Amino acid sequence: MKPFKPIETERLILRRWNIGADLTPFARINADPRVMEYFESTLNKKQTLEMLQRMDSRFDQQGFCFCAAELKATKELIGFIGLNIPGYPTPFTPCVEIGWRLAYEHWDLGYATEGALACLKYGWEELNLQEIVSFTSDFNRRSRKVMEKIGMTYNEDDDFEHPMVKEGHPTRSHVLYRIKRP
């Protein structure tokens, strides 16, 4: 397995996590109810640390994971964008998913789309993937719009109940988008 090299776009650097430096800004992002609207709850600093440790471990085990997304111009951490192998069973696993979570003040600026397109290219060229999926709560219109902008397609037959979201929670119902290797 090749070591992960940062992915650069016009405005972003997608890199491995620096837990010491990234914890506080990422915890702020995870504590924002606007950012976490389509999750069961916000995350506190301890939960964010555990998430960062899991992602860092996945880089070591798989060679990739959700990347720290920083602005090239300022080096500010604005969230994550990247590829991941989900660690729970769903009707479509095993798979590689693409995902993103950005600080609220960086929404609607094209960063998710820009970073996701670079991650798709990485998945095709570096990982030789044949398909990449993405999923979200069925009423998360913003993420669904990004999925469509990067060329993913939706089929309602793929809708599923997310196994990591408790039954009865409004975000349990999820949609799945797919894209095949070009």
Side-chain angles (χ1 to χ4, degrees):
M1 169 179 20
K2 293 192 286 188
F4 181 81
K5 288 178 25 183
I7 299 169
E8 292 194 32
T9 70
E10 181 182 340
R11 301 178 295 165
L12 300 171
I13 297 173
L14 307 179
R15 58 167 174 78
R16 281 192 70 156
W17 294 92
N18 176 339
I19 294 176
D22 294 336
L23 176 58
T24 297
F26 193 48
R28 181 186 59 79
I29 293 167
N30 287 333
D32 186 333
R34 297 167 298 186
V35 173
M36 301 300 285
E37 178 181 3
Y38 300 107
F39 294 87
E40 286 184 277
S41 66
T42 57
L43 301 178
N44 62 34
K45 197 166 191 174
K46 179 179 183 280
Q47 292 167 315
T48 297
L49 174 60
E50 292 166 353
M51 181 181 183
L52 286 174
Q53 290 168 333
R54 281 191 308 273
M55 288 189 292
D56 193 52
S57 175
R58 287 183 179 170
F59 271 106
D60 291 337
Q61 295 166 359
Q62 306 166 172
F64 64 93
C65 191
F66 294 133
C67 299
E70 72 176 37
L71 296 177
K72 266 187 178 177
T74 64
K75 304 296 185 212
E76 176 189 0
L77 178 77
I78 65 168
F80 74 68
I81 305 170
L83 301 171
N84 181 52
I85 298 174
Y88 43 82
T90 66
F92 50 87
T93 54
C95 67
V96 173
E97 68 170 308
I98 189 168
W100 44 85
R101 178 180 303 164
L102 299 179
Y104 179 76
E105 59 271 20
H106 296 288
W107 289 7
D108 297 323
L109 299 173
Y111 293 128
T113 302
E114 180 178 327
L117 286 168
C119 288
L120 286 177
K121 182 178 180 190
Y122 178 84
W124 307 141
E125 294 177 3
E126 299 296 323
L127 302 176
N128 199 30
L129 299 174
Q130 299 306 305
E131 180 181 65
I132 297 173
V133 303
S134 191
F135 47 90
T136 188
S137 170
D138 63 0
F139 49 90
N140 184 347
R141 290 280 163 219
R142 287 183 185 282
S143 279
R144 293 181 75 167
K145 187 174 179 182
V146 173
M147 293 171 195
E148 291 164 4
K149 281 183 177 180
I150 65 172
M152 300 187 97
T153 57
Y154 166 71
N155 181 334
E156 68 181 31
D157 292 339
D158 289 330
D159 290 355
F160 68 103
E161 298 294 304
H162 199 297
M164 301 303 288
V165 178
K166 67 182 170 208
E167 288 190 38
H169 195 276
T171 63
R172 184 169 166 89
S173 180
H174 271 56
V175 294
L176 178 75
Y177 281 71
R178 299 175 185 266
I179 188 167
K180 300 274 187 204
R181 180 185 184 92

